Amino acid sequence: MKQLSIIGMLLLLAIGCNDSPNNKKTTMKETNVADNPLLKESGLPYGAPDFSKITEAHFRPAFAEAMHLQSERIKAIAESAETPTFENTIIALEKSGTEFQRVENVFNALTEAHTNDSLQAIQRELSPRFAAHRDSIYLNDKLFTRIKILYNERGKLTLDKESEKLLTNYYEKFTIAGANLPEKDKETLKQYNEQLASLETQFNQLLLEGNLAAAQQFTDRKALEGLSEEQLESIKEGNGWKVPLQNTTQQPLLSDLKDRTTRQRLFDASWKRTDGGAHSTNEVIVKIATLRAKKAQLLGFKNYAEWSLQQTMAKTPEAIEAFFAQLVPASVAKAKAEGAEIQAQIKKTGGNFALAPYDWNYYAEQVRKAKYDLDENAIKPYFELKSVVEKGVFYAATQLYGITFKERKDIPVYHPDVWVYELFDANGEALGLFYADYYARPSKRGGAWMSNFVDQSTLLSTKPVIYNVCNYTKGANGAPTLLTYDEVSTLFHEFGHALHGFFASQKYASLSGTAVARDFVEFPSQFNEHWALYPAILTHYAHHYKTGKVIPQSLIDKIKKAATFNQGYAFTEVLAASALDLQWHSITANQAITNATAFEQEALKKTGLALPTVPPRYRSSYFAHIFGGGYGAGYYSYQWTEMLAHDAYDWFEEHDGLTRENGDRFRKLILSRGNTEDYKTMYEAFRGKAATIAPLLKFRGLK
């Protein structure tokens, strides 16, 4: 997932993590601005944040000063007596928020991956101020007038292609943000935006607290029968065991737990984590959806989805619905067939009960073993985390693009578990820094994501500083961290985002790298997943952590044969989540929602995805992507970009697969382009034709 920031649903700003504010005992007394490490260049390579100096006490004064500096610059641009030019208006605007961007990148990093009570308090306090600051820019009449003059005369400005795109991008963003509204409506919009910023922060904090509170404590080892000694050791706490929740509905241990009561307990804890009680998000999500609908109406749109999709590849809700119409029937039919197989397995093994969601993964694993002789626990010893990263993910990037990696242990990090690498291009030129933060911890929200500490820009002379965050259970007492194949795929996925950022070659940071539409940004990451199973890559990293032996071909064959197993379930659960998202954001401003759960159930029925045994991957009440992560009306993008990813990989298979020549072409035509071209035009320049849905259906086993 490419993580979007608190304010960045339009600005596409970044989010990250930090350690020192959590480990240093600091007061919240404001520090001297001149000494604030967030407001000046760190002196570290690539301008990376100096986490050895940053404390919580730095954030309030840093934000105050950064917003003041940007506001003064915006005022100077807007009130200038000079005739608007590209330099004195657009370039000046592009450079106006350098300090704010630097502070926000670090702050958002901390609040996502290593937060605490003090940081959350700052976040609650400042999120509406951030929204107001953004509105003071995007709803500034004088500033927009200057931009509009340049936009209307763009044909006479003799701008290069990227500069013209920058001008158009700013004009569209200002328009989308409400720059054309009358003053009275702008004031209403500002109120909506501040309220939404507060509500989205509240949602994220309730979810983090709800996840922690819903972790399940066990004292009876029999209740955890089916877990390996390594699994038990990794969740051991005191005299018992504590099972933390991941952000998805289904939980990883459900495929191993033999006791049905334990499975139900864990599933129910996941399903109900923020549905009622002290951490309920139900009222918050209704308020968010309703306010978004009112905002869309104020801006002249029927619903939030219509407004939100303006700069995407899909463009309209109708295009998404037509896309889903090609997927839902086949996916649901396959899921039902899989359910029948699993029900038969339950009966075969002596069970006298109807299949429930918390049974699915446990018995699906039995069916997998029976059909393909594939045991997930037989695979994991070959997928040791660091080997997968260095000999798999990095090695694939070297083979495709010629880049190399050097671990840096001299760069301050925000948590001791974070690894840092320096990247070099094929010609030896430095590319940037990569931070790898893979282990779960209570201070980190669930899920996996990528973002930047520093964005690439030739205008600012900056190279990218990028991080990936995941949530894998760390091996206990120094034991290796062994991954499932899905977790391996996630590593490749997130580094696909990183490559998109590292290969950026833009002049302007706001068009650079992953600063693209949601339904394009997930394309490079999903495409990169394909190399996890590519023979030359797999055999390079998949070595048994004890014996060092390469994964046997017989096991590889089983993995490949089982590739489409359970894909009806897997695809239906994400389609259900996407349908929920679109339904929440298709409500009108006058549509009253009195019960979030009832709305959710009706939405699934309406879209043909109300399968009792296949719940959505994210229930509304813990759907962080759409209510706290900037993906409102955008979760469909994972399926949309999956279509692009499989179609693009088909091109590679048609042209000799993994070669430097092919990798360099993909880099040149896709990964290096940022948001400098129309997405459809960009894709077709690479592929030679429009993307088709057939490779996606084939990959998922739906055709």
Side-chain angles (χ1 to χ4, degrees):
M1 174 185 175
K2 162 61 183 176
Q3 180 64 37
L4 306 186
S5 76
I6 300 169
I7 340 177
M9 283 180 272
L10 289 177
L11 297 175
L12 290 170
L13 301 177
I15 291 189
C17 346
N18 189 334
D19 180 59
S20 47
N22 300 75
N23 292 337
K24 290 184 179 181
K25 299 297 182 182
T26 62
T27 67
M28 293 312 295
K29 182 180 179 180
E30 292 193 353
T31 57
N32 189 321
V33 167
D35 298 327
N36 196 309
L38 291 164
L39 291 171
K40 55 187 179 182
E41 291 290 344
S42 68
L44 293 176
Y46 308 96
D50 191 344
F51 290 109
S52 68
K53 296 178 180 178
I54 298 168
T55 72
E56 292 163 356
H58 291 122
F59 283 107
R60 281 191 178 92
F63 272 123
E65 180 65 10
M67 286 190 283
H68 170 72
L69 289 171
Q70 187 171 24
S71 295
E72 287 297 305
R73 291 166 189 158
I74 293 297
K75 182 179 179 181
I77 299 167
E79 298 184 0
S80 172
E82 296 180 359
T83 301
T85 67
F86 185 76
E87 286 290 332
N88 70 21
T89 301
I90 303 303
I91 294 294
L93 175 59
E94 177 75 3
K95 296 166 72 173
S96 67
T98 302
E99 295 86 358
F100 184 84
Q101 178 80 78
R102 183 187 301 131
V103 179
E104 192 203 28
N105 283 354
V106 177
F107 180 72
N108 286 345
L110 296 168
T111 56
E112 292 288 301
H114 201 32
T115 192
N116 60 30
D117 291 344
S118 296
L119 287 170
Q120 290 182 11
I122 298 171
Q123 189 179 26
R124 286 191 296 271
E125 174 191 333
L126 294 184
S127 59
R129 297 188 194 178
F130 295 156
H133 177 65
R134 178 190 166 280
D135 283 342
S136 74
I137 299 170
Y138 278 81
L139 301 180
N140 185 313
D141 284 337
K142 292 180 180 179
L143 177 60
F144 183 56
T145 296
R146 294 178 69 87
I147 294 170
K148 190 187 295 185
I149 289 170
L150 293 169
Y151 179 75
N152 290 336
E153 296 180 354
R154 64 192 182 280
K156 304 175 185 177
L157 299 180
T158 63
L159 298 174
D160 60 75
K161 185 178 178 181
E162 185 179 341
S163 295
E164 185 171 342
K165 175 66 174 179
L166 182 71
L167 170 58
T168 301
N169 199 48
Y170 270 123
Y171 176 79
E172 290 176 351
K173 285 185 179 297
F174 271 75
T175 303
I176 290 168
N180 281 318
L181 289 176
E183 195 58 37
K184 182 181 177 182
D185 287 346
K186 283 183 180 178
E187 291 305 312
T188 302
L189 180 61
K190 289 176 184 178
Q191 293 174 20
Y192 288 164
N193 287 339
E194 288 187 32
Q195 291 173 49
L196 282 167
S198 294
L199 287 166
E200 288 156 10
T201 296
Q202 184 182 357
F203 173 88
N204 282 329
Q205 294 187 356
L206 281 170
L207 178 54
L208 178 62
E209 294 161 5
N211 281 339
L212 294 175
Q216 296 298 293
Q217 193 80 41
F218 294 89
T219 55
D220 182 2
R221 180 167 177 167
K222 188 176 180 182
L224 299 175
E225 186 180 359
L227 301 188
S228 66
E229 289 301 320
E230 290 85 355
Q231 286 173 311
L232 287 168
E233 189 63 32
S234 69
I235 59 173
K236 190 168 181 59
E237 184 172 283
N239 295 322
W241 300 268
K242 188 175 185 178
V243 180
L245 293 187
Q246 290 198 10
N247 211 44
T248 51
T249 296
Q250 291 285 9
Q251 299 298 303
L253 296 186
L254 288 172
S255 61
D256 297 316
L257 290 165
K258 290 185 178 181
D259 188 274
R260 192 169 192 243
T261 302
T262 301
R263 292 201 304 271
Q264 182 175 6
R265 175 180 161 184
L266 183 56
F267 179 87
D268 287 348
S270 173
W271 187 250
K272 299 173 183 176
R273 71 185 88 176
T274 45
D275 180 15
H279 306 111
S280 177
T281 61
N282 286 332
E283 288 187 14
V284 176
I285 63 177
V286 169
K287 288 178 181 178
I288 289 173
T290 303
L291 266 175
R292 286 175 178 174
K294 289 181 178 179
K295 174 178 174 175
Q297 182 185 57
L298 186 68
L299 289 163
F301 292 84
K302 185 169 63 177
N303 54 51
Y304 184 84
E306 279 192 357
W307 173 80
S308 178
L309 293 167
Q310 290 176 82
Q311 286 191 313
T312 65
M313 195 173 177
K315 307 292 187 190
T316 67
E318 290 75 20
I320 299 168
E321 289 168 359
F323 176 62
F324 282 170
Q326 301 177 70
L327 301 173
V328 171
S331 186
V332 168
K334 186 168 174 62
K336 288 180 177 179
E338 290 167 354
E341 271 192 304
I342 292 170
Q343 186 67 64
Q345 180 66 19
I346 291 172
K347 183 177 180 181
K348 181 180 178 181
T349 54
N352 188 26
F353 52 83
L355 170 65
Y358 47 84
D359 298 315
W360 190 293
N361 287 350
Y362 179 72
Y363 286 97
E365 191 60 26
Q366 292 185 12
V367 174
R368 187 204 308 266
K369 290 175 186 176
K371 290 185 72 172
Y372 306 103
D373 191 24
L374 182 62
D375 182 354
E376 189 75 58
N377 289 322
I379 299 172
K380 289 172 69 174
Y382 294 95
F383 296 149
E384 189 275 322
L385 176 60
K386 197 147 194 178
S387 178
V388 175
V389 172
E390 295 183 343
K391 297 180 180 179
V393 175
F394 291 174
Y395 180 71
T398 301
Q399 298 307 299
L400 281 165
Y401 311 111
I403 61 175
T404 54
F405 303 78
K406 176 185 177 182
E407 188 165 10
R408 294 286 300 261
K409 297 190 177 182
D410 58 326
I411 305 292
V413 291
Y414 51 85
H415 190 279
D417 285 339
V418 176
W419 313 329
V420 182
Y421 297 86
E422 187 172 14
L423 277 65
F424 299 90
D425 215 334
N427 62 2
E429 181 181 343
L431 274 173
L433 285 181
F434 175 68
Y435 292 62
D437 180 8
Y438 294 133
Y439 298 120
R441 52 181 171 266
S443 60
K444 182 191 289 187
R445 74 167 178 84
W449 62 94
M450 163 270 178
S451 200
N452 289 51
F453 285 124
V454 180
D455 296 316
Q456 179 274 335
S457 165
T458 59
L459 176 70
L460 302 176
S461 300
T462 53
K463 292 189 175 184
V465 179
I466 291 172
Y467 58 89
N468 280 175
V469 183
C470 297
N471 273 277
Y472 303 141
T473 302
K474 189 177 183 180
N477 302 319
T481 299
L482 306 180
L483 307 178
T484 66
Y485 181 69
D486 282 347
E487 290 170 334
V488 170
S489 292
T490 298
L491 288 175
F492 278 83
H493 177 103
E494 296 305 333
F495 198 71
H497 283 308
L499 289 169
H500 199 182
F502 281 121
F503 291 154
S505 59
Q506 278 67 60
K507 184 175 183 179
Y508 308 114
S510 61
L511 300 178
S512 177
T514 57
V516 297
R518 291 168 303 201
D519 58 4
F520 198 80
V521 77
E522 298 295 336
F523 160 38
S525 55
Q526 297 204 57
F527 166 79
N528 204 54
E529 292 179 35
H530 279 284
W531 306 115
L533 263 184
Y534 197 82
I537 305 300
L538 179 64
T539 55
H540 192 262
Y541 73 84
H543 296 182
H544 197 285
Y545 78 100
K546 286 183 178 178
T547 67
K549 291 184 177 179
V550 178
I551 188 169
Q553 186 61 46
S554 59
L555 200 51
I556 296 173
D557 292 341
K558 290 175 184 179
I559 294 172
K560 289 183 175 180
K561 287 178 182 177
T564 59
F565 175 75
N566 212 39
Q567 285 299 307
Y569 182 100
F571 203 46
T572 299
E573 69 165 357
V574 296
L575 287 171
S578 295
L580 282 179
D581 173 30
L582 203 58
Q583 290 298 308
W584 275 110
H585 293 106
S586 294
I587 66 170
T588 58
N590 58 2
Q591 186 174 340
I593 301 173
T594 56
N595 185 293
T597 299
F599 180 88
E600 176 178 273
Q601 292 171 345
E602 185 59 33
L604 292 173
K605 288 179 184 176
K606 183 178 178 180
T607 53
L609 288 158
L611 275 66
T613 56
V614 187
R617 183 170 177 81
Y618 302 100
R619 194 179 181 190
S620 303
S621 58
Y622 49 86
F623 205 162
H625 288 76
I626 68 169
F627 291 118
Y631 269 65
Y635 193 71
Y636 79 92
S637 61
Y638 286 95
Q639 294 88 62
W640 187 278
T641 52
E642 187 177 346
M643 171 183 67
L644 300 178
H646 295 314
D647 192 67
Y649 185 71
D650 256 23
W651 180 91
F652 270 75
E653 289 193 317
E654 293 163 5
H655 295 82
D656 301 322
L658 184 148
T659 68
R660 272 296 309 283
E661 182 181 3
N662 288 344
D664 287 345
R665 186 173 189 273
F666 189 68
R667 173 179 177 173
K668 178 182 177 182
L669 297 178
I670 299 292
L671 297 179
S672 68
R673 296 299 176 96
N675 185 15
T676 60
E677 295 181 35
D678 173 78
Y679 302 120
K680 187 173 184 290
T681 301
M682 192 190 307
Y683 182 79
E684 290 180 8
F686 163 74
R687 185 65 172 98
K689 61 179 182 178
T692 68
I693 204 167
L696 164 59
L697 295 174
K698 178 184 175 183
F699 179 84
R700 289 281 188 172
L702 304 179
K703 184 178 180 180

